[in-house]
């Protein structure tokens, strides 16, 4: 009829009204959202409010879902079936039909590929001096190899998608349970999910196997929290527990359109009873998200609300885009420069050709007469054709083979990461995985590291350490009731046994921890599918909770003699030390929130006494305490905080019946409030939780992954800034940051949180923080490396920033209405630049990606790396320049979407400091060397045109033109780029500061590029004019025959091949038999090929202009002499430059290389040996910092801002050479010795004691 379904629906929505209760939109203090407005289908088109994440499009429309696809009763509302996507998940990039055109488009977006395509087409169209094969074959190889690699990677993504989309799910249809594939689910289907199964889409909980309609869920793959969360079914549907009953539900759900905020959902359900709708509100406590897992609940029934790419998990995925490294960007920039040089050369030669041919005799000599057709061609067409011919002739200055070599280097080099035994985890049985080899060198350029917390930095395994009651310390299984337990004699503890009078308060403390929690008990043999704690064939109970801290505390109390048994019929049962069961009636629970930082319970003992037990952060408990041993407990809390433990304080308050009645009235009034319910509850809690009596404190450890703190410290020393982005609570994340040495004891914490912005405007808070950090640093941004060096002396104030998701959302808002607010983003970034570490907590997955994007887009454009282990980290991993997945316990989604995958966080140290360092050094040399050798190759061709009348005559034979980059000079640089080690691996790991030498793409800066280009031009001039002047009018062989133009070109080419190969040999630090075989073998191959090419009459050639040319050249003594002289003259300036620079202005890397080689003078080394042995220098003290101190007038050369005062300065060559001592630690005696194998000393002097072999400290 000309009107589509969407237009019809919109028209009906305008006029249909329905009477129902308002949707209850309840705020959340942790919600990372801002309000937008929409019009709801109800009387008067009443205006409502939805919440929405910053940066996302406005969800102004709602959706109506018909449960079980049942039509509403007649007259209730119009039935308009909306179309929703199926439940198919798509993470792949290509399809079978669009792979070739889409992949070709992406590849020819590269400047180099597009350029070589144009050159190839020109060679096909016009008559050029060289064959089209010379350009077409390498281009075809590069395109094919890249397409195969990208096609294979996408095929793996298709395979993973199919595994998810085809997994079976159970659906209720017509009162029966049927089984279908996941991708066939539709919105409105009633889904049946069993324990330990993942939810196939976003669901609204209808009923569960539990009588109270609750279920327990882990959302580890979404927000990183592996603890159990409680979700509630609707009161009207929780009793429906079989297929027929569930299928009889007649209801519709109206809710917001999909949005990515995991913590927010607003909707309502209309349940039809006797054809009359009963409206009930729906919130996030009713929404089960795709990817979450059902735990400790036998089964549930739920209705599909969002499917496929509309689920919150899918909306939090960042689209996978092709990443390009900084080296590749530099290559493209250099390519543009060389393209301009090429065009200039072709233009100059074209102009000079026509200037030369202005004389008719030169234009058309008697031996080269033009045809009539050529004479009739317009001069512009002839000039353009000549210009293209010169372009093709000089085309070899653009190294097409460089891209082939780079692709091979990246592909083959990635295997060195996968073959690294040190990054193999025997527990998992897996090693490192490379999903994208295009970014190997980017691992050596990282400036910002963004890491998840749970499962990445930590094992997410809480352990109860100790508790302190009135100053007496209790360690589980070590001290119990003041008695030291067997086997605990060697533990470091405080043994201050309480007297008999303290026993009552001690037991009250233990009871408080057994009562004040939200822990559930599981009475089954397995937990998460793993059998645990089965004794004599009988299963024991296990604890689960939304907070792993609470489980650790309850388990700790169990080891100290008080066991929490169960919560049954609103009564808590505890087994005390006398094996007697105590029952307490649970009257009220004052839930925990991040603003109050505490939770409380009100219980009635069997004796009728009423108690309020409260536990929380020390900052929220101490101000409310009126009695107790505050000083002793505070001292212990501070001691444990310094140790990186998570601390909680416990207090109580006895209540009289009158006080309890007042509390009940206060809480009832707040809970029944329809407006500002959260605010009124907070006020009520504040009144109730006061006049407390302090009992004690607890200490829980969230175990870090092995060597996580060591890795973070190494990254800081390497000049990287580490940010922790987590969905966890601020207190939990902050404790982990201290334990992992992200924050130190002298770190001043700056808070930018909701709690602070409620007390003070965001504008004022930001400017206060900005003034604080800039006052300390004098208005200058502090370099991270300086912070690392100064941290030993403690002469500066170290800052750490903590920000939560809600505040970050406000900071990143595109525009502020307040004209005085200024640019919040810039102020925030300035604060972050002056902080050594940043912690972002309560982050939604998409917010993590937004933070990474914010740093990427800052004016410094730093290289970022994101590392995580769960699906909630995928967006961040895809957004960062380099994404690394951890093979953790939260599935494999992060691993599948990452560029690299490693078993543990500790392996990040080696993949960056060693592999990244090596790859960047190797590929930067490869790129510069390729441009250098091609300048040497083609610039003589340009000079030759001045001596051949600009006739486009090649200087080299076609075989030499084709094989120069493919055979004669390609293998040595490829091998160099795979195995070169300019510094020993152990030194790179011991001295992370060496990473700074290559920061900011220092080896591919424009000055370095200009130097290599100038060196290539110089070598080309020496080769061409050296050969020209040495043999001018005197070029005779032994039989008196003169050299011809092909002999001259062969001589220049021979000097060229030997010079560029020797240049690479001089740059090689790590020699193996493979290097010798390839470098000298390539030279031998060139000689043998030249002898065969010119010494045999090949039947497939029409003419053979190189016949006997090479042999004739080698028969001349002056030719041999010229080869040696020209090679020496070409290489000498570069050698002299390196010697002078390394002597006067060495980099840190060059200093270490000289120390490694036994060159130079290190007067401070022996003095520092004692410090190193005695522990005054840490393992991470840079080797460069224990070298000679700078003398007056000397300085250390470096790369930009990455040189610091600790870098060594080498003495002049006139100073005496002495050997350097290296301190080694022997297992029994300790001696100084000169360590010949490492330092390369000629005479070894080592007085060793008895014992095993040495364990070098440096």
């Amino acid at each position: 009829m000309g009107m589509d379904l969407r237009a019809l629906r919109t028209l009906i929505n305008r006029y249909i009204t329905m009477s129902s209760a308002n949707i209850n939109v309840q705020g959340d203090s942790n919600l990372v959202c801002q309000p937008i407005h929409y019009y709801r289908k109800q009387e008067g088109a009443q205006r409502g409010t939805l919440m929405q994440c910053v940066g996302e499009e406005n969800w102004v429309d709602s959706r109506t879902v018909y449960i079980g696809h049942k039509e509403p009763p007649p007259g209730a509302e119009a039935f308009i079936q909306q179309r929703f996507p199926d439940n198919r998940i798509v993470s792949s990039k290509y399809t079978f039909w669009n792979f070739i055109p889409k992949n070709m488009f992406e590849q020819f977006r590269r400047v180099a590929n597009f350029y070589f395509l144009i050159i190839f087409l020109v060679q096909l169209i016009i008559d050029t001096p060289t064959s089209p094969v010379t350009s077409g074959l390498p281009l075809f190889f590069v395109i094919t190899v890249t397409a195969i690699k990208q096609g294979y990677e996408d095929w793996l993504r298709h395979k993973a998608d199919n595994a998810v989309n085809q997994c079976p799910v159970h659906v209720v249809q017509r009162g029966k349970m049927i089984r279908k594939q996941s991708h066939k689910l539709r919105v409105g289907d009633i889904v049946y999910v069993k324990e330990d199964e993942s939810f196939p889409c976003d669901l609204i909980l209808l009923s569960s196997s539990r009588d109270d309609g609750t279920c327990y869920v882990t959302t580890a793959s979404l927000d990183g929290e592996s603890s159990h969360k409680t979700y509630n079914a609707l009161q009207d549907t929780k009793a429906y527990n079989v297929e027929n009953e569930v299928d009889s539900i007649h209801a519709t759900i109206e809710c917001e359109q999909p949005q990515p905020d995991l913590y927010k959902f607003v909707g309502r359900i209309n349940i039809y009873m006797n054809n009359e709708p009963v409206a009930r509100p729906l919130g996030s406590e009713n929404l089960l998200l795709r990817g979450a897992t059902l735990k400790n609940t036998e089964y549930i029934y739920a209705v599909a609300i969002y499917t496929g790419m509309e689920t919150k998990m899918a909306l939090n995925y960042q689209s996978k885009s092709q990443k390009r490294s900084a080296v590749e960007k530099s290559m493209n920039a250099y390519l543009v420069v060389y393209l301009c040089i090429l065009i200039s050369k072709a233009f100059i030669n074209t102009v000079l050709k026509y200037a030369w041919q202005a004389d008719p005799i030169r234009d058309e000599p008697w031996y080269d007469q033009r045809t009539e057709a050529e004479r009739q061609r317009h001069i512009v067409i002839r000039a353009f054709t000549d210009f293209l011919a010169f372009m093709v002739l000089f085309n070899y200055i653009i190294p097409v083979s460089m891209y082939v070599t780079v692709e091979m280097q990246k592909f083959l080099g990635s295997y060195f990461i996968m073959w690294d035994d040190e990054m193999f985890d025997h527990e998992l049985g897996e090693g490192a995985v490379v999903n994208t080899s295009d970014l190997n060198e980017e691992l050596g350029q990282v400036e910002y590291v963004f890491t998840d917390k749970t499962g990445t930095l930590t094992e997410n395994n809480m352990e109860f350490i100790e508790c302190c009651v009135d100053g007496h310390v209790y360690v589980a299984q070590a001290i119990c009731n003041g008695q030291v337990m067997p086997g605990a004699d060697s533990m470091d503890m405080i043994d201050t046994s309480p007297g008999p009078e303290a026993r009552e308060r001690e037991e009250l403390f233990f009871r408080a921890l057994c009562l004040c929690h939200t822990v559930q008990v599981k009475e089954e043999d397995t937990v998460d599918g793993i059998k645990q704690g089965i004794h004599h064939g009988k299963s024991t109970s296990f604890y689960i909770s939304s907070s792993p801290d609470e489980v650790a505390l309850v388990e700790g109390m169990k080891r100290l003699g008080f066991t929490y048994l169960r919560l049954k019929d609103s009564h808590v049962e505890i087994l005390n030390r006398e094996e007697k069961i105590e029952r307490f009636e649970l009257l009220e629970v004052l839930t925990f929130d991040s603003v109050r930082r505490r939770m409380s319970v009100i219980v009635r003992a069997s004796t009728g006494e009423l108690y309020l037990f409260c536990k929380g952060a020390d900052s929220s408990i101490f101000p409310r305490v009126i009695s107790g041993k505050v000083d002793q407990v505070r001292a212990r809390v501070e001691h444990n905080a310094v140790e990186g433990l998570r601390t909680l304080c416990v207090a109580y308050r006895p209540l009289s019946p009158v006080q309890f009645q007042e509390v009940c009235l206060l809480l009832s009034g707040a809970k029944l409030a329809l407006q500002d319910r959260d605010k009124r509850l907070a006020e009520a809690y504040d009144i109730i939780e006061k006049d407390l009596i302090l009992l004690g404190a607890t200490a829980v450890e969230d175990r870090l992954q092995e060597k996580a703190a060591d890795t973070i410290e190494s990254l800081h020393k390497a000049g990287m800034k580490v940010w922790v982005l987590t969905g966890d609570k601020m207190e939990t994340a902050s404790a982990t940051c201290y334990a992992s040495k992200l924050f130190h004891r002298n770190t001043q914490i700056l808070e930018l949180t909701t709690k602070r912005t409620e007390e003070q405007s965001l504008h004022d808070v930001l400017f206060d923080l900005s003034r604080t950090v800039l006052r300390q640093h004098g208005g200058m941004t502090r370099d991270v490396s300086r912070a690392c060096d100064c941290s030993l002396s403690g002469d500066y104030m170290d800052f750490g920033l903590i920000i939560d998701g809600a505040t970050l959302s406000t900071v990143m808002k595109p525009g502020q209405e307040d004209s005085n607010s200024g640019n919040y983003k810039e102020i925030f970034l300035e604060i972050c630049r002056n902080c050594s570490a940043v912690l972002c907590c309560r982050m939604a997955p998409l917010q993590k990606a937004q933070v990474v994007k914010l740093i990427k887009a800052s004016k410094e454009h730093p290289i970022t790396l994101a590392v995580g282990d769960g699906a909630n980290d995928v967006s961040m991993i895809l957004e960062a320049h380099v994404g690394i997945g951890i093979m953790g316990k939260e599935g494999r989604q992060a691993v599948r979407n990452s560029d690299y995958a490693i078993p543990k966080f500790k392996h990040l140290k080696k993949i960056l400091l060693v592999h990244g360092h090596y790859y960047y050094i190797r590929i930067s040399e490869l790129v510069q060397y390729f441009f250098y050798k091609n300048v040497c190759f083609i610039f003589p061709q340009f000079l030759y045109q001045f001596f051949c009348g600009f006739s486009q005559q090649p200087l080299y034979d076609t075989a030499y033109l084709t094989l120069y980059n493919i055979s004669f000079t390609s293998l040595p640089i490829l091998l160099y780029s795979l195995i070169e080690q300019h510094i020993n691996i152990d030194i790179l790991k011991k001295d992370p500061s060496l990473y700074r030498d290559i920061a900011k793409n220092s080896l591919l800066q424009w000055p370095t590029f200009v130097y290599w280009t100038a060196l290539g031009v110089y070598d080309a001039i020496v080769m061409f004019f050296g050969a020209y002047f040495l043999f001018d009018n005197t070029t005779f062989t032994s039989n008196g025959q003169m050299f011809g133009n092909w002999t001259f070109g062969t001589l220049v080419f021979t000097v060229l091949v030997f010079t560029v190969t020797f240049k690479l040999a001089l740059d090689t630090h790590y020699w193996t038999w493979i290097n010798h075989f390839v470098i000298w073998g390539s030279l031998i191959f060139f000689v043998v090929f030249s002898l065969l090419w010119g010494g045999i009459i090949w039947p497939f050639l029409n003419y053979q202009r190189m016949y006997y040319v090479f042999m004739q050249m080698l028969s001349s003594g002056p030719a041999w002499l010229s080869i040696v002289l020209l090679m020496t003259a070409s290489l000498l300036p570069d050698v002299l430059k390196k010697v002078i620079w390394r002597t006067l202005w060495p980099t840190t890397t060059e200093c270490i290389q000289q120390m490694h080689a036994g060159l130079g003078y290190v007067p401070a080394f022996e003095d520092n040996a004692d410090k190193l042995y005695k522990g005054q220098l840490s393992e991470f003290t840079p080797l460069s910092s224990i070298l000679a101190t700078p003398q007056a007038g000397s300085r250390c050369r470096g790369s930009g801002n990455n040189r610091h005062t600790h870098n060594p300065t080498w003495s002049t060559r006139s100073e005496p050479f002495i050997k350097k001592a290296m301190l080694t630690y022997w297992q029994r005696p300790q001696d100084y010795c000169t360590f010949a194998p490492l330092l390369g000393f000629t005479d070894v002097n080592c007085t060793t004691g008895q014992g095993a072999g040495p364990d070098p400290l440096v």
Side-chain angles (χ1 to χ4, degrees), residues 230-369:
T230 304
Y231 289 83
N232 302 313
L234 297 166
Q235 290 296 321
D236 301 87
T237 62
K238 69 179 184 180
Y240 298 95
N241 289 322
V242 295
E243 290 88 343
N244 289 332
E245 292 176 350
V246 173
D247 190 55
S248 67
I249 296 175
H250 199 183
T252 60
I253 295 175
E254 188 176 4
C255 62
E256 62 189 357
Q257 291 287 11
Q259 60 159 306
D261 189 352
L262 296 178
Y263 308 107
K264 143 85 179 50
F265 176 76
V266 175
R268 68 178 175 190
I269 181 170
N270 294 310
I271 303 173
Y272 296 100
M273 298 180 179
N274 300 322
N275 293 337
E276 292 296 327
V278 177
R280 296 283 185 255
L282 295 175
S284 57
E285 69 277 5
N286 310 115
L287 181 67
L288 306 174
L289 300 179
R290 177 177 189 141
T293 305
L294 183 66
K295 293 291 183 182
N296 204 30
T297 307
E298 186 179 346
Y299 63 85
I300 64 154
Y301 289 98
V303 59
I305 196 80
Y306 302 128
T307 53
M309 301 308 291
E310 289 188 344
T311 59
K312 289 183 180 288
M313 184 179 75
L315 291 175
N316 274 281
Y317 280 166
Q318 191 80 1
S319 59
K320 194 174 183 70
S321 59
Q322 192 169 5
K323 298 179 180 179
R324 303 194 185 279
S325 67
V327 171
E328 185 173 349
K329 294 173 184 175
S330 297
M331 286 168 54
N332 290 336
Y334 297 162
L335 186 69
V336 172
V337 172
Y338 272 68
L339 187 59
C340 294
I341 295 174
L342 172 62
I343 294 173
S344 302
K345 282 183 177 181
F347 180 76
I348 291 171
N349 275 264
T350 303
V351 172
L352 292 177
K353 175 179 181 177
Y354 283 90
W356 169 266
Q357 292 178 352
D359 187 343
I361 299 176
R362 294 175 180 170
D363 182 31
E364 197 172 347
W366 59 270
Y367 56 84
D368 190 17
Q369 295 290 320

Side-chain angles (χ1 to χ4, degrees), residues 105-147:
F105 172 75
E106 289 181 349
Q107 291 206 57
F108 284 113
R109 285 168 57 194
R110 289 185 174 182
V111 177
N113 290 347
F114 184 73
Y115 163 77
F116 292 124
L117 176 65
I118 297 299
I119 291 296
F120 175 66
L121 295 176
V122 169
Q123 288 178 299
L124 288 176
I125 294 171
I126 68 171
D127 184 20
T128 57
T130 56
S131 170
V133 177
T134 58
S135 296
L137 191 60
L139 177 64
F140 177 77
F141 178 78
V142 171
I143 296 297
T144 303
V145 169
T146 305

